[in-house]
Structure formats: C-alpha cells, structure tokens
C-alpha cells in the first residue's frame, strides 16, 4: 500500500471519528412501563421536517459540545407535535445543535406518544419517559462533563406541556423503580417553555388534550394536567416565549403559567411577541423572533 493511500485512509478514519453519531441510549433498560405488545410500528415522515409518530422504544439522543467550550450546563429537549408526533429535527436536533454551539450539552428526548395503541394508561406515559430521561442524564453527568445541578429542560408546544408537567410533577411516583438510577431526582433545575400548551381547561389546545387525556377525561385528570394549577414554590425557574397571534395554542397558556409562577415567587421571564403564530422553532427567518434563543442564553447565564 503506497503512502498516499495510507494517508487518505487515515484522513477518512479521522473524519469518520470526528463525525460519529451522537450517543443514543434507551430510556428503559428493563421492562418499558405501560407497554403492551402490538403489531404497531414506529413511523418517520421527513417530507418537510422529520416527524416521528407511534414511538415504540423511547430513547435519548445526546449531543455534546467540544470539551473546550463546554459550560457544564445541559438541556433536555422535548419536541412538539400535539402529542400526535414529534417534530424531531425542527424542535429537537436543530435546537440541540444551537445549544452545542453555545457550549451546552443537549439531550433530545424521543418519548412515547399517548395516541399509540401499544400503551395502557397512556396519559401517564410521557411523564414516565420524561422523569426517567432526566434521571439518566444525572446518572451520566460526570461522563458527559455536566454539572448535575445545572440540568434544565426546553419544550415546544405539546412538548412544552410535557416539560411543564415534568417541572410540576417531577416527584410524583408514576412508575416502579427499576434500578439505582430511579433514586436520582427528576427535578429540572430550570425550564424554557416555547409556545407551550399549559392548561387542559378552557384555553387548551384541544388536539393535545384529546391525545393525552381522551375526549372524556375526568375532572381530576383535567386538574392534574392543567399545570398552572400544579405550581409550587419548588417549581423550577422558568423562561416563557409566545406570540400574541398564536391561533393554535393561545398565548393565555403562557400567561396562566406566568401568573401562577409569580404568585408562588418562582423566578420567571416572559417574552410575548406581537406576531409569529405557532411553531416558529428557533425563529431564524423572523427579525423579531430570531432573538429569543439569545435571550434564553442571557437568562440561563443569570441563574444561580
């Protein structure tokens, strides 16, 4: 083998090493709770954005920044999709790449969706996956060069509902412990909720409510998952973003959560934009909206 060929293969190996797939871990290493065997298959549709539906095996996908730029902070990402699908790149991996560029570890959560026939007590399942994902992240904090006390969450739309559910129900026992990981706290250290579904009451997004709770939920279920009613003094500091002209998830969702946090003296920041509609992601193509991710970075830097 001549020297040129050896050099080329060495460069190719180095390129592949530097572009290796980020770590993917199963959320459940033993039995997946509330799962039943069916013929249902996971579906991926990438016509415009990558939409994943009927998730069968929940995972976390870990994106780590270069060690020299790492801040020690981490954020779990919950993509939206009305609890019917996950906007996995638009509100998931694209956000992870933005965070990595800022030195922040990012963990995209591919959680199960409650509209699957492979589930029992489907309304419990997203929170089960979210709690476990947070605990796995804390378990791996030293390996991933993360401060275990600087792990936050960000959620978009229905993913914002799941994030706010984790932020208000983090200590609720929703599954049987499987291993020592489940002894760790599932409480986020901070939350960012972007055009989130918050309430299951009058101002809800009906599609998300139907998918999560069904068309005839009990009053107790509606109350439990109206997260503005679940805020306490221990709810994590929160950053909220919404557009006034959002006709899908009314801005009142963020306003309700802001009011509840303020009443309990939880640090909260709210950005309400006059225009933007729903589902604008990182807002890169809008002069107003494109600044919200930088505002989030500024806010995170002020957290104690």
């Amino acid at each position: 083998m001549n020297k040129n060929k050896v050099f080329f293969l060495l460069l190719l190996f180095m390129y592949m090493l530097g572009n290796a797939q980020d770590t993917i871990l199963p959320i459940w290493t033993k039995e997946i709770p509330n799962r039943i065997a069916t013929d249902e298959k996971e579906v991926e549709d990438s016509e415009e954005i990558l939409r994943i539906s009927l998730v069968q095996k929940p995972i976390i996908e870990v994106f780590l920044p270069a060690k020299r730029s790492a801040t020690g902070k981490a954020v779990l990402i919950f993509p939206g999709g009305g609890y019917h699908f996950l906007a996995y790149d638009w509100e998931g991996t694209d956000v992870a790449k933005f965070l990595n560029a800022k030195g922040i570890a990012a963990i995209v959560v591919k959680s199960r969706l409650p509209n699957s026939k492979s589930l029992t007590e489907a309304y419990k399942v997203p929170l089960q996956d979210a709690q476990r994902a947070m605990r796995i992240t804390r378990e791996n904090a030293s390996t991933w060069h993360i401060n275990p006390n600087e792990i936050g969450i960000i959620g978009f739309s229905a993913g914002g509902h799941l994030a706010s559910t984790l932020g208000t129900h983090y200590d609720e026992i929703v599954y049987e412990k499987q291993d020592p990981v489940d002894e760790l706290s599932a409480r986020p250290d901070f939350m960012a909720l972007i055009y989130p579904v918050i309430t299951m009451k009058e101002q809800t997004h009906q599609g998300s409510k139907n998918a999560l709770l069904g068309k005839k939920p009990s009053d107790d279920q509606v109350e439990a998952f109206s997260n503005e009613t679940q805020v306490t003094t221990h709810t994590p500091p929160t950053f909220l973003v919404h557009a006034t002209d959002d006709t899908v998830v009314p801005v009142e969702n963020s306003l309700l959560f802001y009011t509840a946090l303020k009443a309990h003296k939880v640090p909260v920041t709210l950005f309400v934009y006059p225009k933007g509609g729903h589902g604008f992601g990182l807002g890169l193509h809008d002069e107003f909206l494109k600044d919200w991710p930088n505002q989030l970075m500024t806010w995170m830097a002020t957290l104690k």
Side-chain angles (χ1 to χ4, degrees):
M1 186 179 293
N2 61 47
K3 290 182 178 179
N4 287 338
K5 191 169 184 179
V6 171
F7 181 68
F8 172 77
L9 290 174
L10 181 61
L11 284 178
L12 180 62
F13 174 77
M14 292 175 67
Y15 174 82
M16 292 174 66
L17 187 64
N19 289 272
Q21 188 178 43
D22 287 273
T23 302
I24 295 177
L25 295 175
I27 289 177
W28 304 99
T29 53
K30 296 181 181 179
E31 183 179 355
I32 302 176
N34 291 72
R35 184 178 186 274
I36 55 176
T38 70
D39 59 356
E40 193 172 65
K41 303 293 184 184
E42 187 168 302
V43 176
E44 291 190 6
D45 175 9
S46 57
E47 185 174 342
E48 289 187 14
I49 62 174
L50 175 58
R51 298 186 180 201
I52 301 178
S53 56
L54 304 178
V55 174
Q56 300 298 304
K57 294 182 179 179
I59 62 166
I60 56 173
E61 188 169 2
V62 183
F63 294 79
L64 299 178
K67 289 181 181 180
R68 290 182 64 180
S69 62
T71 63
K73 290 183 171 67
V75 174
L76 278 71
I77 304 168
F78 297 94
Y83 280 125
H84 285 81
F85 64 88
L86 302 175
Y88 197 75
D89 51 2
W90 181 249
E91 295 169 347
T93 55
D94 286 0
V95 179
K97 293 167 187 175
F98 168 81
L99 291 169
N100 275 185
K102 303 296 184 179
I104 299 167
I107 297 90
V108 182
V109 182
K110 188 170 85 171
S111 55
R112 290 171 292 166
L113 296 157
N115 63 336
S116 167
K117 69 179 183 179
S118 300
L119 308 176
T120 61
E121 294 185 298
Y123 69 94
K124 293 183 178 179
V125 166
L127 179 58
Q128 290 174 337
D129 291 352
Q131 284 189 359
R132 178 75 180 185
M134 176 59 75
R135 290 175 172 132
I136 291 172
T137 301
R138 283 212 162 90
E139 171 71 12
N140 287 279
S142 60
T143 302
W144 298 340
H145 305 286
I146 293 168
N147 182 335
N149 299 314
E150 291 189 293
I151 302 174
I153 56 178
I154 185 170
F156 297 78
S157 193
H161 185 265
L162 178 52
S164 66
T165 303
L166 178 59
T168 52
H169 298 256
Y170 55 84
D171 58 354
E172 185 176 325
I173 299 172
V174 292
Y175 65 88
E176 292 185 8
K177 294 178 181 178
Q178 293 193 352
D179 51 41
V181 172
D182 290 322
E183 300 293 337
L184 299 174
S185 172
R187 180 185 183 273
D189 293 300
F190 55 90
M191 294 193 289
L193 308 176
I194 316 303
Y195 41 85
V197 179
I198 294 293
T199 189
M200 293 286 110
K201 298 182 181 181
E202 289 80 6
Q203 299 289 347
T204 192
H205 174 244
Q206 196 63 45
S208 296
K209 179 180 179 179
N210 290 349
L212 182 64
L213 302 181
K215 293 185 178 180
K216 295 182 179 180
S218 68
D219 291 344
D220 287 345
Q221 286 178 319
V222 170
E223 186 73 13
F225 288 94
S226 292
N227 291 324
E228 77 278 10
T229 71
Q230 304 300 312
V231 171
T232 71
T233 56
H234 300 292
T235 302
T238 301
F239 178 95
L240 292 154
V241 174
H242 224 116
T244 302
D245 66 349
D246 190 334
T247 59
V248 178
V249 177
V251 69
E252 282 77 8
N253 281 262
S254 286
L255 298 177
L256 285 167
F257 206 58
Y258 174 87
T259 301
L261 292 163
K262 182 174 178 290
H264 286 83
K265 295 181 168 47
V266 176
V268 56
T269 295
L270 169 64
F271 283 87
V272 177
Y273 292 90
K275 295 188 298 182
H278 189 75
F280 48 76
L282 292 170
L284 299 179
H285 301 297
D286 186 283
E287 288 301 314
F288 282 105
L289 297 173
K290 71 180 183 181
D291 195 47
W292 82 254
N294 294 322
Q295 295 288 357
L296 174 61
M297 295 300 101
T298 300
W299 177 81
M300 285 174 58
T302 68
L303 296 173
K304 296 181 180 179

